[in-house]
Amino acid sequence: MANLDAGELLPFQVDMFRALTDEPDVALILARGLGYQRLLLNLLRLYCDPRMLVLVINAPEALRAALVDRLVLDGHPRAPRVLTSSTPNSDRYDVYLEGGVVFVTSRILVVDFLTRRVPSDVITGIVVCSCHTVVPMSTEAFILRLFRHSNRTGFIKAITESPEQLQGFNALEKLLKTTWLRKISFWPRFEKSLKEALELDPPEVVEVKVPLTDRMANIQQAISELMTSCLRELKRTRPGLDMSQLEEERSLFSAFDIALRRQLDPVWHKLGSKTRQLVADLRTLRSLANYLHQYDCVSFFHYLETLRCSQYAFNSHSYFLHLDATENLYVNAKYRVFETPTRPDASSAPAAEAAPRPQSLQPRLEPNPKWHSLAQLLEEIEELIASGTEQIIDNPRVLICCNDSRTCSQLQTFLQQGEQKTLERQLKRFNKWRQRIDKLNASGTFAVSSKQPDVGGAEEAARAARQQSAAPAAPASASTGKTRARGKRRRIEQAVMIAGTAEAALRVMQQDDNELLFDANGPAFGDGDGDVDDDEEATIIQERDPFKEFEENFSVIAGGFAVILSMQSNSSVSKYLDEMQPQFIIMYDPNLACSREIEVYKASRPGVPVRVYFMLYSQSLQEQRYLSAIRLETHAFEMMVRAKSSMAISEDQDGRSGHRQDLENQMHVVVETSSRKAGGQSVEVTPEIVVDMREFRSSLPAVIHEHNFKLKPMTLLVGDFVLSPDMCVERKSVPDLIQSLASGRLYNQVTAMSRYYSIPILLIEMDENRSNFSLVSSTEYVAGDVDFRNTLSKLVLLTITFPHLRLVWSRSAYATAKTFRILKRHQPQPDASTAAEHGEDTDAVDREGYASGPQAFLRMLPGVTAKNIRKIMEKTTNLKELSTMPLERMERLMGASNGKQLYAFFHNKK
Amino acid sequence: QKVAPAQVSSSCVTVSPRQKGNPLLKAIKNVSWEYREIAADYMMGPSICALFLALRYHKLHPDYIYGRVQALARNVKVRVLLVVVDVHDPDQALSELAKMCIVNQLTMMVCTDYTEAGRYIESFKIYENKPSDVLQERVAEDYVSQLTGCLTTVKAVNKSDVVTLLSTFSSLADIMAASTEELQLCPGFGQLKAEQLAAVFEQPFVDPERARPSAFRAD
């Protein structure tokens, strides 16, 4: 058997690897789950050498960590290095010079290129992970351009396993252009060599189709109806929408939101609240469709109730909230938790129809249909092992894959404690929550909620449930009825262990190997009669690893016999497969990547039996989503193969000959006539702009650079761009503008700019493709009054307050670059170091390396002002510490009244 | 024949007769206005005047606005150039107008239609004498809005999540004290959301590896 642990490649993966290494510059697009991470690992192994310098960009953190760990374990002469914003500037140059593989965040790398901190002439090459995200004007595109302009010999390799993201007009062509590539290599699942390799000795697949319960089916029906009507309504309110990317099928995927927002963003701030609500509703419905299958009945109902409360709390009325289907949704969800009130056709209750009496609402919890199937499967596997056929390998193990950690812990509880306890625990939580919500409503916290119509009759239900909570719940409707199963269950229950990390789990499994061996020979798995004598022997190990990285992702049950794995950290499935080598894999939730990885796993162990149980709710949105995912991927590949065959790629697209660079350089050459030169002779001037480091998160610096400006990255305290010693620009996108006008930050920023520059400029940047310059939404017009809460009003007052503030309006980064060009004409160059010195005591804390997330949160807290925010951040560690601070300390920290205000806010017991 | 600022009425917007027929005037509903001979197109008070420009007209008569600006009195504090974008390719014109405004010390306001243009004129009149401190402070809000305001700064958290949190835990301090596992038990909270939220609470304000700014280094 191949040594998979070392990440060795299968024959078809070797072919992929060759495609990746034979050519210096290549884009590799492979189908999901076929060994993306393993290919990267093998590729990077080649470069762990001090004589080379290979930069890896765009790698998500989980992938980066996994690759680095693996490479470090290998013990290469040069371990990979990771550069992030926390690496000091001065150290980075040395890291680059030392060579080897360097993972670097894009924003850092771009700045290093511009400041020549990275020795670009010695770079061996750049590896671009998840290259489907590299679109024109992205930071990665900027990096690759900077790289190619200064280094024509290094390689560029781009790789992705998300082909479905590369759809849309000319997506493939754009990708090749922005990554400076000419060669592309496709590896769809339907590729001949792949098909042959994977289907030669495929794993034994048992499809376990689990029917939805009637109530679940009703709920699902209601959700579909609501989605359809939301889409229809959306089409009606925005007839201009291009629905080709917005079919109903796609609305099950989060990519749908992206496609929708792409169309609506240009006009987003102009949309009426109705359209916005519809977009949000579609998202809510999608998560409901997902939760229906993943959550238990109580949690699902709980979530619905929360939604309903928040609708009223925020007075935003969802379109779907008043449709008939919604009523169905609520009623069905409710009666999955509570007993259905007596029907009129029941023998003796003719009057009960209209008003079911509260006391009749007993909890009657409907377990997830898949739970029983899972228990049965585990039992079946145990019997199979016990039967001792040759088909069973030594130490057979079971891997259960589910989609998220919630499902993971849900299954763990279920297998440990049984369905009743699992559900009752949730019901307890729900009842507690219900009490609080009642109290909150009564105290008027959510002022509008008193008008709340009782769609689901939830209050009375909850009241009844509370009275009932001590009583044993009614037996589950779909009970297995097998007494034998109970004994088995107990064994599993008692042999549960939870491990903190992947490593811990595997370690535990190894410890357990001996016992399992013993057990396999003994009667532990051996008898089918429910004899549970051996239970006491099963080991219960509780282990908590200090590294919390993988926590909650999985749990190990039955003494290492079975492991439940969450697919959410999806880069790690193959790792578990390789290290655990399960013979039985239960796919609790359908997942395309996971099923592929199992295929690959099987192909790497020819002759060794692997059985996969593929659990699916039949005729469910879950099934539909799985099938759609396969269809969409196949479709994407077909489209790309077709596009490739008809694509014209220019000879010098890779920039190796330097033609493309020359062309780009000539495109925006500035020719200025200088009056000082005799006869108004033309001279080329490279205009310089000082750019704040933080601005590299946006695409504007890339575009400005493309327009032949020289960029000088600096940490600026005042302004974002300095055009000349007099001109300083604060850039605001529309959402930023709205937010910073409301919070008072813009006022402070303009004050600071006015102090140091004679021409302070506010650049209002509309979104790309935004076709208008309006700051008022249509609903605000309807209101008619001039209201100070409007952004327009605030902007007007700002310009009255600062008459010398100049406004520049722009529709796109390109337009901004052109405006900058015109503004800079005949202006002296700015001085970077002077610009950086400006503004010691201004409200510019966010530029000084304070963590942005906690800072944004802190800024919104009452009592926190521009004056005390810096002190708070310096004197306290984090928000958690601030929240536990006693009143006196808080008052000392931020002033008496502010401190009191914040303290009260933290401890406001509602 | 310039009209001295003193003659400009303080109670209503003064409109130059050249603006007759401008659809913008129909949109002015919240303030009164009257015609009077003035150098600007609109006077929203003694210290605020505005020139009006539709880009389509500007493309046909590119010199017009420069002439008007030259004739404008320099001593008016706020001089607005109100631009209505009624062409499809306004970028070049807007770039040049931005430069012109900087050279001539004008404040450029850009809008898409006449209704909004009217709204700008109204707003300038209404806020003519409004003190600027309202720009410096946040509007006072009730508890739930404040809580929503800060919790929704975390990208993954939406309004219904705020209700979930508030109704599951008893105070913000309790929410912050909750572990990732506890957060994850709330319906609607996936692993990612719970982790993101917990990270904001726990992430240090100051990167421990980074040198503190000079002002605080001493203490």
Side-chain angles (χ1 to χ4, degrees), chain A residues 741-744 747 794, chain B residues 132-140:
Chain A
L741 270 173
S743 71
Y747 180 92
K794 292 196 180 107
Chain B
S132 65
D133 17 322
V134 282
L135 282 174
Q136 297 173 63
E137 64 206 31
R138 277 196 302 257
V139 191

Side-chain angles (χ1 to χ4, degrees), chain A residues 391-498:
Chain A
Q391 289 304 306
I392 305 298
I393 58 168
D394 283 350
N395 293 341
R397 282 175 183 141
V398 185
L399 181 68
I400 304 169
C401 300
C402 54
N403 263 348
D404 48 49
S405 51
R406 178 189 287 267
T407 314
C408 188
S409 67
Q410 176 201 75
L411 291 182
Q412 186 198 326
T413 322
F414 162 67
L415 291 172
Q416 258 177 296
Q417 299 172 0
E419 62 183 40
Q420 268 324 314
K421 279 221 176 105
T422 313
L423 291 173
E424 273 166 25
R425 208 172 69 172
Q426 293 300 334
L427 189 65
K428 234 184 219 163
R429 281 185 66 82
F430 174 69
N431 286 336
K432 213 174 122 201
W433 174 84
R434 192 70 242 182
Q435 275 168 354
R436 267 193 58 71
I437 266 290
D438 286 348
K439 213 172 102 198
L440 286 175
N441 284 342
S443 69
T445 308
F446 305 132
V448 270
S449 56
S450 53
K451 287 176 232 152
Q452 176 172 333
D454 190 14
V455 181
E459 276 85 1
E460 50 195 60
R463 220 173 301 127
R466 249 170 271 138
Q467 295 161 359
Q468 195 59 32
S469 58
S477 54
S479 167
T480 53
K482 280 189 192 172
T483 42
R484 207 179 49 178
R486 296 240 168 85
K488 290 285 182 198
R489 181 75 31 71
R490 219 178 322 147
R491 175 157 59 241
I492 299 170
E493 275 164 33
Q494 296 190 4
V496 164
M497 56 186 182
I498 307 153

Side-chain angles (χ1 to χ4, degrees), chain A residues 456-617:
Chain A
E459 276 85 1
E460 50 195 60
R463 220 173 301 127
R466 249 170 271 138
Q467 295 161 359
Q468 195 59 32
S469 58
S477 54
S479 167
T480 53
K482 280 189 192 172
T483 42
R484 207 179 49 178
R486 296 240 168 85
K488 290 285 182 198
R489 181 75 31 71
R490 219 178 322 147
R491 175 157 59 241
I492 299 170
E493 275 164 33
Q494 296 190 4
V496 164
M497 56 186 182
I498 307 153
T501 70
E503 282 65 32
L506 294 165
R507 200 157 59 236
V508 168
M509 269 171 13
Q510 266 133 37
Q511 281 173 4
D512 256 35
D513 273 359
N514 295 330
E515 278 170 49
L516 278 172
L517 211 66
F518 169 76
D519 281 351
N521 295 333
F525 298 113
D527 67 68
D529 299 327
D531 186 336
V532 290
D533 291 348
D534 304 69
D535 281 347
E536 280 65 39
E537 286 179 27
T539 331
I540 299 170
I541 301 172
Q542 288 271 350
E543 195 165 337
R544 278 279 167 195
D545 202 288
F547 303 99
K548 287 193 139 191
E549 233 178 305
F550 289 96
E551 193 168 44
E552 294 281 308
N553 279 345
F554 72 96
S555 41
V556 187
I557 61 166
F561 163 69
V563 171
I564 311 174
L565 177 70
S566 150
M567 290 287 303
Q568 209 158 41
S569 50
N570 51 25
S571 63
S572 55
V573 187
S574 60
K575 178 184 164 171
Y576 286 97
L577 288 171
D578 292 342
E579 297 194 14
M580 201 182 133
Q581 310 222 348
Q583 180 177 2
F584 300 98
I585 301 164
I586 300 176
M587 282 189 65
Y588 186 78
D589 296 315
N591 183 309
L592 181 59
C594 183
S595 57
R596 294 266 175 73
E597 286 188 60
I598 294 170
E599 282 186 310
V600 173
Y601 162 71
K602 173 71 181 91
S604 68
R605 312 166 83 235
V608 184
V610 172
R611 180 185 278 188
V612 183
Y613 296 94
F614 191 85
M615 296 178 80
L616 202 61
Y617 283 121

Side-chain angles (χ1 to χ4, degrees), chain A residues 148-329:
Chain A
R148 263 295 173 252
H149 274 256
S150 55
N151 181 331
R152 286 186 208 167
T153 50
F155 68 74
I156 295 177
K157 296 183 197 298
I159 173 165
T160 179
E161 62 166 349
S162 303
E164 73 282 354
Q165 304 281 333
L166 282 167
Q167 291 194 66
F169 183 67
N170 276 354
L172 188 63
E173 214 170 330
K174 275 186 218 151
L175 172 73
L176 291 182
K177 187 114 200 253
T178 47
T179 49
W180 296 71
L181 297 171
R182 300 185 57 215
K183 192 117 176 99
I184 186 157
S185 175
F186 295 117
W187 294 89
R189 172 66 178 76
F190 56 79
E191 162 85 24
K192 199 162 157 262
S193 63
L194 261 162
K195 237 176 138 159
E196 280 168 4
L198 294 177
E199 284 164 21
L200 184 70
D201 180 19
E204 183 189 354
V205 179
V206 182
E207 261 200 41
V208 184
K209 290 221 171 189
V210 184
L212 294 171
T213 64
D214 291 348
R215 296 227 176 272
M216 283 175 92
N218 290 343
I219 293 172
Q220 182 175 287
Q221 175 65 26
I223 293 176
S224 313
E225 272 172 34
L226 290 172
M227 277 183 138
T228 314
S229 51
C230 275
L231 270 176
R232 204 186 310 125
E233 192 61 21
L234 190 66
K235 263 182 246 181
R236 212 176 55 78
T237 42
R238 315 261 349 146
L241 280 181
D242 168 19
M243 299 306 286
S244 64
Q245 295 281 315
L246 304 178
E247 308 125 16
E248 251 172 286
E249 181 184 354
R250 288 175 196 263
S251 63
L252 288 174
F253 297 93
S254 52
F256 177 88
D257 281 344
I258 301 168
L260 185 59
R261 283 303 294 260
R262 203 177 290 145
Q263 289 195 42
L264 289 178
D265 264 349
V267 288
W268 188 252
H269 66 295
K270 283 268 284 179
L271 292 182
S273 56
K274 188 174 176 191
T275 317
R276 291 188 199 202
Q277 191 61 56
L278 281 171
V279 175
D281 287 352
L282 276 166
R283 201 182 310 127
T284 309
L285 287 170
R286 191 180 52 243
S287 53
L288 274 179
N290 186 31
Y291 295 160
L292 175 64
H293 303 121
Q294 304 299 137
Y295 282 17
D296 56 82
C297 63
V298 187
S299 303
F300 184 76
F301 185 57
H302 188 162
Y303 183 67
L304 272 183
E305 284 291 274
T306 316
L307 276 185
R308 221 155 56 94
C309 284
S310 61
Q311 295 294 348
Y312 285 95
F314 293 102
N315 212 4
S316 62
H317 295 281
S318 279
Y319 165 73
F320 73 78
L321 210 65
H322 303 289
L323 296 183
D324 288 349
T326 311
E327 172 91 30
N328 271 338
L329 179 68

Side-chain angles (χ1 to χ4, degrees), chain A residues 406 433 436 568 859 880, chain B residues 138 166-167 186 191 202:
Chain A
R406 178 189 287 267
W433 174 84
R436 267 193 58 71
Q568 209 158 41
R859 204 183 278 284
K880 213 170 201 169
Chain B
R138 277 196 302 257
L166 179 61
S167 51
C186 300
Q191 187 181 349
E202 271 158 40

Side-chain angles (χ1 to χ4, degrees), chain A residues 713-743:
Chain A
M714 271 284 167
T715 305
L716 296 182
L717 301 179
V718 177
D720 296 326
F721 298 89
V722 181
L723 306 187
S724 78
D726 296 326
M727 279 190 230
C728 176
V729 178
E730 179 69 42
R731 185 186 72 98
K732 291 280 177 221
S733 62
V734 173
D736 278 352
L737 179 74
I738 295 169
Q739 209 265 326
S740 63
L741 270 173
S743 71

Side-chain angles (χ1 to χ4, degrees), chain B residues 1 3-5 7-29 31-46 48-52 64 68 72 82 114 117-118 120-122 124-125:
Chain B
Q1 27 142 274
V3 180
Q7 280 174 260
V8 172
S9 160
S10 60
S11 61
C12 65
V13 175
T14 314
V15 181
S16 158
R18 323 166 188 248
Q19 288 294 309
K20 260 180 197 161
N22 189 338
L24 181 158
L25 292 171
K26 279 188 213 131
I28 301 184
K29 287 174 183 148
V31 293
S32 55
W33 57 274
E34 61 181 20
Y35 285 122
R36 217 175 255 238
E37 285 293 341
I38 47 171
D41 290 333
Y42 299 89
M43 291 290 285
M44 283 77 86
I48 306 175
C49 68
L51 286 177
F52 176 85
Y64 158 81
R68 293 296 310 278
L72 207 59
L82 186 56
Y114 288 90
Y120 271 111
I121 298 288
E122 288 176 351
F124 271 110
K125 178 70 206 163

